[in-house]
């Protein structure tokens, strides 16, 4: 394995495109680029001490890293939304808030 293609990866691309901050998008795009730089130089086979080959381990670590980033970005996104909602709630007239318009 020398290259990773996202077959049916439309959901991943949509997730990246939906990220709130450009820095998050850039970070994940860099991670996708990085795995294809790592794989060609990673030995394929395992040995008697490793259950799986080094490429399999590299791909697993990469997937965990990408998922960890996405989960972190989603959590940050929710915090930003809650903060914005709280700010609006304080700034808007109370009758709008009490009528559940917001």
């Amino acid at each position: 394995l020398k290259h990773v293609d996202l077959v049916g990866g439309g959901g991943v691309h949509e997730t990246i495109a939906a990220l709130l901050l450009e820095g998050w998008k850039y970070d994940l795009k860099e991670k996708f680029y990085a795995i294809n730089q790592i794989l060609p130089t990673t030995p394929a086979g395992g040995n008697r001490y490793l259950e799986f080959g080094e490429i399999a381990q590299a791909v697993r670590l990469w997937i965990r890293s990408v998922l960890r980033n996405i989960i972190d970005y989603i959590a940050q996104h929710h915090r930003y939304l809650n903060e914005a909602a709280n700010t609006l709630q304080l700034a808007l007239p109370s009758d709008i808030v009490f009528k559940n318009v917001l």
Side-chain angles (χ1 to χ4, degrees):
L1 180 66
K2 301 279 185 202
H3 183 80
V4 172
D5 283 321
L6 295 176
V7 177
V12 173
H13 294 294
E14 289 173 8
T15 299
I16 292 172
L19 291 173
L20 184 62
L21 299 178
E22 289 300 317
W24 297 350
K25 294 176 188 181
Y26 179 80
D27 185 41
L28 284 181
K29 287 177 184 177
E30 284 294 307
K31 283 193 181 296
F32 281 95
Y33 174 77
I35 190 64
N36 290 321
Q37 302 305 308
I38 293 168
L39 289 179
T41 60
T42 303
N47 58 39
R48 62 185 176 159
Y49 304 109
L50 296 174
E51 182 179 350
F52 302 104
E54 292 180 46
I55 286 182
Q57 289 180 326
V59 170
R60 280 191 182 100
L61 288 173
W62 173 74
I63 290 170
R64 284 185 190 129
S65 174
V66 169
L67 287 175
R68 200 175 311 117
N69 278 96
I70 290 173
I71 290 166
D72 184 48
Y73 296 152
I74 290 170
Q76 288 181 48
H77 180 81
H78 285 222
R79 283 193 299 273
Y80 291 148
L81 288 177
N82 286 335
E83 191 176 304
N86 289 336
T87 301
L88 281 173
Q89 195 171 20
L90 293 173
L92 292 174
S94 61
D95 61 330
I96 292 175
V97 175
F98 288 125
K99 291 178 183 176
N100 292 322
V101 174
L102 178 62

